[in-house]
Amino acid sequence: MSAPTPIPLLALHHTGLLVKDVAQAAAHYIEVLGYRIESEPIDDPGQTARVQFLRLPGATHWLELVAPLGPESKLANALTKGGGLHHLCYEVADIVAATAHFRAAGCMVVSEPVAAAAFPGRRIAWLMDRQRLLFELLEAGPGPLGLSTLRP
Amino acid sequence: MNPAHHFRLQAIFREIFDQPALALTPELSPATLPEWDSVAMVQLVLATEQAFGVRFTMDEVAGLKSAGDFLTLLAAKAP
């Protein structure tokens, strides 16, 4: 389906990996694959998730470890299917326009832009494309975990 | 109820929820199936559109509150 507006410029921000235990998974990726810790574990009640960001030396995007925040988490069911690769996240300059663009292009909006604990002052939105790939949009902006800190 | 629609929709629900023995009833809803969250809802819509060769409008998607709603909509869009 063609979209009525130009395709927003997307920059890969992170790959989301659904895990049972963030600390345990982080230890694995640090010790076995050489990742480095880029954030403390962050609890986001709005997303019912605990997340932590890692990054390979020199990489221009992050790995996000995502675990359910409690048994009632929206992620608990997905984890029962085994976890693993969960979503891609793209940073965009205008999250409202980008969300509208992808909706018009046939993607389904899972949740409209809302504030996220991991990115103070920035909003995230969740969408799924026709290939049933879950992807996240993250509003570009200053502060930690911004792509501008990696790509001057 | 169109039996062919029911059978195909049941297969979709079984795949999305990874429940091979799931019995689709019109009353099935997020209230009766805890795994039916917002992501699963989008997966159901996309899989149903693909399987039946239809496209739902945003208003139609917003009106889908149960498996019965899916069947009713399919009866109108894929008779």
Side-chain angles (χ1 to χ4, degrees), chain A residues 1 77 81 129-130 132, chain B residues 16 35 46 49 55 58:
Chain A
M1 180 186 296
N77 289 320
K81 298 177 182 176
D129 69 17
R130 294 276 159 190
R132 287 195 252 164
Chain B
I16 298 297
E35 295 88 347
L46 293 174
E49 287 183 334
R55 187 63 67 91
M58 287 173 54

Side-chain angles (χ1 to χ4, degrees), chain A:
Chain A
M1 180 186 296
S2 62
T5 56
I7 299 172
L9 184 61
L10 303 178
L12 180 64
H13 182 275
H14 66 257
T15 301
L17 198 61
L18 184 59
V19 301
K20 183 178 180 182
D21 183 282
V22 163
Q24 194 174 55
H28 168 80
Y29 285 100
I30 291 165
E31 294 167 10
V32 178
L33 281 84
Y35 278 83
R36 295 176 182 173
I37 291 178
E38 293 275 306
S39 81
E40 295 293 317
I42 303 164
D43 287 352
D44 187 339
Q47 301 292 320
T48 64
R50 170 173 291 172
V51 304
Q52 184 167 28
F53 290 86
L54 310 180
R55 188 166 63 92
L56 285 169
T60 53
H61 56 269
W62 286 273
L63 175 68
E64 181 190 38
L65 302 175
V66 188
L69 187 60
E72 300 302 317
S73 168
K74 293 181 281 189
L75 296 165
N77 289 320
L79 193 58
T80 63
K81 298 177 182 176
L85 289 175
H86 182 256
H87 69 271
L88 297 179
C89 175
Y90 301 103
E91 198 174 272
V92 293
D94 185 337
I95 194 170
V96 173
T99 302
H101 169 85
F102 289 117
R103 176 186 279 119
C107 297
M108 301 287 295
V109 177
V110 177
S111 67
E112 300 284 348
V114 293
F119 311 106
R122 304 158 70 186
R123 293 173 292 176
I124 61 170
W126 290 96
L127 299 96
M128 186 173 285
D129 69 17
R130 294 276 159 190
Q131 312 305 315
R132 287 195 252 164
L133 170 70
L134 183 64
F135 66 101
E136 177 183 10
L137 297 177
L138 167 63
E139 191 169 37
L145 298 172
L147 283 181
S148 60
T149 65
L150 302 180
R151 302 170 182 176

